[in-house]
Amino acid sequence: LLVGPIPFTVEPQLQTPGAYTEITFVFSILQEVSAVVERSVTLEVRGPEGFVFLDKCFGSPFNPAFTKCTGYRNTATLVTIQPRLRGAGIVVILLAYNPRITPQPNYWSTAVFTDDPNQYVRYSSELSYEIIGMPVLFKGNNQLGESASGFFTFSPVRPSPSPLIYLVITPPPNAGFRLF
């Protein structure tokens, strides 16, 4: 069985560790793939370990070529409406959570299945994006049992999407920290 490629790109809305993000997945299948026995074609998108797709992983705008997207851990499975798939620059928005750190190995892969769910007819793998956290510096007293002020200095890695942002700082439980 000769397996063809699926050129694709993965573009996240956010590269923040652990962030809920919309991933723009753009792929091309220039030669039509068709299912003979099954009534649909399955596209499997697999992210590096640590990514978690939502159970219902379609984002908006919805791609009308697919009937559903099922997420399980780092795999999103898309099922077509028709028993064939072909096109250039097909865009699908997938909903997922980024991992806490950049995974190793850091590759995305995609595969197309037709009649045999164990044998793909198209397959490709591409390098993933890097997870980039915001550097934070803490200045304060590190003496146990002493009450003192502490200050955080944040260094954004990109401009804020809005003029107003919220930071949630959660101290370790039962560690005696008081936040004001």
Side-chain angles (χ1 to χ4, degrees), residues 9-26:
T9 60
V10 176
E11 194 64 41
Q13 178 188 27
L14 296 172
Q15 291 176 268
T16 308
Y20 167 79
T21 188
E22 292 182 357
I23 297 171
T24 303
F25 180 74
V26 181

Side-chain angles (χ1 to χ4, degrees), residues 110-122:
T110 187
V112 175
F113 299 87
T114 53
D115 294 320
D116 183 354
N118 298 315
Q119 178 60 56
Y120 48 77
V121 294
R122 298 281 189 275

Side-chain angles (χ1 to χ4, degrees), residues 5-90:
I6 311 171
F8 71 92
T9 60
V10 176
E11 194 64 41
Q13 178 188 27
L14 296 172
Q15 291 176 268
T16 308
Y20 167 79
T21 188
E22 292 182 357
I23 297 171
T24 303
F25 180 74
V26 181
F27 67 100
S28 296
I29 298 179
L30 301 179
Q31 293 180 333
E32 183 175 285
V33 291
S34 299
V36 178
V37 177
E38 297 294 323
R39 294 184 180 177
S40 62
V41 173
T42 301
L43 174 71
E44 183 181 278
V45 178
R46 187 177 299 264
E49 289 294 326
F51 281 88
V52 178
F53 286 102
L54 272 60
D55 294 342
K56 294 179 181 177
C57 50
F58 269 138
S60 183
F62 179 75
N63 187 312
F66 297 95
T67 183
K68 68 178 178 177
C69 178
T70 306
Y72 179 70
R73 295 186 182 168
N74 64 323
T75 303
T77 305
L78 292 79
V79 178
T80 62
I81 293 174
Q82 300 291 323
R84 61 190 164 275
L85 183 60
R86 178 183 181 191
I90 301 169

Side-chain angles (χ1 to χ4, degrees), residues 126-141:
E126 295 287 337
L127 188 62
S128 181
Y129 57 91
E130 191 174 346
I131 302 300
I132 302 171
M134 179 170 36
V136 178
L137 179 65
F138 176 74
K139 292 182 181 178
N141 184 1

